[in-house]
Amino acid sequence: MKTILITGASGDVGTHLRRELAAKYQIRASDLRDLKEKIKGQKFVRADISKFSDTLRITKGVDAIVHLGGYSVEGPWEGILSANIIGCYNVFEAARRNGVKRILFPTSNHATGFYRRDQTIDHRVYPKPDSRYGVSKVFGEALASLYADKYGMEMFCMRIGNVNAVPIDKRRLSILFTPRDLAQLVTIGIEHPAIRFEIVYGVSRNKRSWYDNSNAYRLGYKPQDDSEIFAADILRREQPGDRTAEQYQGGMFVVAEEIPNPAPLPKSSRPCRTNR
Ligand code: 15L
């Protein structure tokens, strides 16, 4: 049985994944916080990924890493810098030094959140992050590309939508990623013999998807779920939202500002409509 390190294992996605993959792999679950749920046979190792010594310790002797650790929403720059930028570098570099070849990097729909909802994008589009969080995911994708090309590592980047059994609003109808589809895509990322550097979208086969996910399908992904069965119900309940957010794939992330500004933002630096 392969040993898989999951960082950020106590988050929602980590918890789904630990459940789904429990019978398939020996899981080493790592986080700064306690695990939300204990699963028999899974080992917990506490670590702060912003400390290189911690990442060297937890990446030793594993066959692959699913690097979920870090902020999973917008946050202050200092937090994003240490958890998502430095943390990501530490995990990739520690893996290299410990001879771990394969890393699955759950990047995010927020790496491309400033694409409009009337655009269909594939894995080759230029990133358009919608937040500091989105920028940190683009950093991770770029670092994955470097480690693949320079060090021959095998990097599988999944631009994750929203992991849930049920979509929670209209935007999530387009990006729903059910736990069983997540488990299938992660298994492909771990097992596929010919991964060098790949970007795929981590979403189910949603009718309202704004992704061309042919790269994932080429690698054998056959999602089982489609959010459409929830559409009528969701659309009936949906209230009109922020007009700028509604235009873009990233939704509220394009307008979210975690840090109260000392002075109001000048008009020119507010999110604007673009035709790119
Ligand atoms: C993400 O990238 C986040 O990790 C998750 O918490 C959700 O907010 C998701 O995007 C989303 O866009 O719904």
Side-chain angles (χ1 to χ4, degrees), residues 13 71-73 107-110 133 137 160-163 171-172 175 250 253:
V13 179
Y71 267 72
S72 60
V73 287
T107 162
S108 169
N109 69 92
H110 298 291
Y133 164 64
K137 292 301 187 179
I160 304 257
N162 187 243
V163 178
R171 190 176 75 86
R172 270 61 172 238
I175 61 169
F253 281 65

Side-chain angles (χ1 to χ4, degrees), residues 96-108:
R96 180 173 83 91
R97 293 199 196 177
N98 278 326
V100 184
K101 270 194 104 171
R102 185 156 300 198
I103 300 183
L104 284 70
F105 178 57
T107 162
S108 169

Side-chain angles (χ1 to χ4, degrees), residues 135-151:
V135 168
S136 74
K137 292 301 187 179
V138 176
F139 170 81
E141 293 178 5
L143 195 66
S145 174
L146 175 71
Y147 274 59
D149 289 339
K150 197 160 202 164
Y151 306 120

Side-chain angles (χ1 to χ4, degrees), residues 19 31 38 44-45 57-58 68 93 96 105 120 166 181 185 194 212 214 216 223 229 236 238 271:
R19 273 189 219 131
D31 208 299
K38 289 214 167 81
F44 173 63
V45 282
R57 171 171 53 83
I58 61 176
L68 289 166
E93 179 57 17
R96 180 173 83 91
F105 178 57
T120 299
V166 173
D181 285 343
L185 192 60
D212 165 354
S214 47
I229 51 166
R236 195 174 330 107
E238 183 89 359

